[in-house]
Amino acid sequence: MIDPKKSGDAALTHLDDEGSAAMVDVTDKASTSRRAMACGILRCSRDAYRLLVEGGNPKGDVEQVARVAGIMAGKRTGELIPLCHLLPGASVSVHIEPDAALPGLRVTATARVAGRTGVEMEALTAVAVALLAAYDMLKAADRGMTIESVRLVEKSGGRSGSWRESER
């Protein structure tokens, strides 16, 4: 019989003994400083890009709304992603950089916490929602925008230590 908790050589951590979805119990893990950074891009038309950088967007300041949306989403990740832990006291910052070469936006989010589990999902959620908010703010000017390359860039802390995208 196949063990539902094994996948190749790795044990699946989000399954109970019967193979049902379960939250990982981290209560016995030590609280350590943890950090994760994620990034992604939004590509848009030149007209939408002009609204973004020159202002005049009827819905308001794209960067500020996207930044706040990303921060709010990062803080609520445990409510949005099944089996993801709630992380009280997590800090989430979102940096948005217009890029004429795309044209579009580059979004980077950093999440930090002193806790028992990592903050990779918080950083990724912050980036994804910031990009979605920017899309929503600009969609009247360009419905063909694309959200691309949302990914973890680096993480540190916890049992697995540090990792950087360049180490793939």
Side-chain angles (χ1 to χ4, degrees):
M1 183 169 135
I2 296 173
D3 183 347
K5 291 190 75 168
K6 300 275 184 183
S7 174
D9 294 331
L12 300 177
T13 59
H14 285 76
L15 297 178
D16 65 16
D17 292 336
E18 288 78 44
S20 297
M23 190 173 215
V24 174
D25 184 355
V26 297
T27 54
D28 292 333
K29 290 175 74 176
S31 181
T32 61
S33 178
R34 296 156 185 268
R35 179 181 175 276
M37 183 186 300
C39 66
I41 62 174
L42 177 130
R43 290 184 192 270
C44 62
S45 67
R46 296 254 175 236
D47 289 339
Y49 183 77
R50 262 192 300 284
L51 283 175
L52 171 68
V53 296
E54 295 175 7
N57 186 32
K59 286 184 126 181
D61 187 328
V62 175
E63 288 184 57
Q64 293 303 324
V65 171
R67 181 175 292 109
V68 171
I71 291 168
M72 290 174 64
K75 291 175 13 178
R76 299 188 72 172
T77 299
E79 297 172 32
L80 300 169
I81 306 295
L83 309 180
C84 195
H85 294 90
L86 292 171
L87 297 177
S91 167
V92 179
S93 63
V94 175
H95 176 75
I96 298 175
E97 180 181 342
D99 184 339
L102 291 171
L105 293 172
R106 294 186 182 278
V107 174
T108 303
T110 303
R112 299 173 193 267
V113 72
R116 293 179 168 96
T117 189
V119 287
E120 296 93 342
M121 294 308 299
E122 285 72 12
L124 286 161
T125 300
V127 167
V129 172
L131 290 165
L132 288 167
Y135 184 103
D136 181 55
M137 295 289 289
L138 292 168
K139 70 184 177 195
D142 180 9
R143 294 202 186 268
M145 292 177 285
T146 60
I147 293 172
E148 305 172 14
S149 302
V150 175
R151 65 195 187 278
L152 184 66
V153 176
E154 64 183 58
K155 59 99 35 203
S156 63
R159 185 179 65 229
S160 63
S162 297
W163 176 88
R164 287 183 181 267
E165 184 178 41
S166 61
E167 297 170 4
R168 289 173 77 183

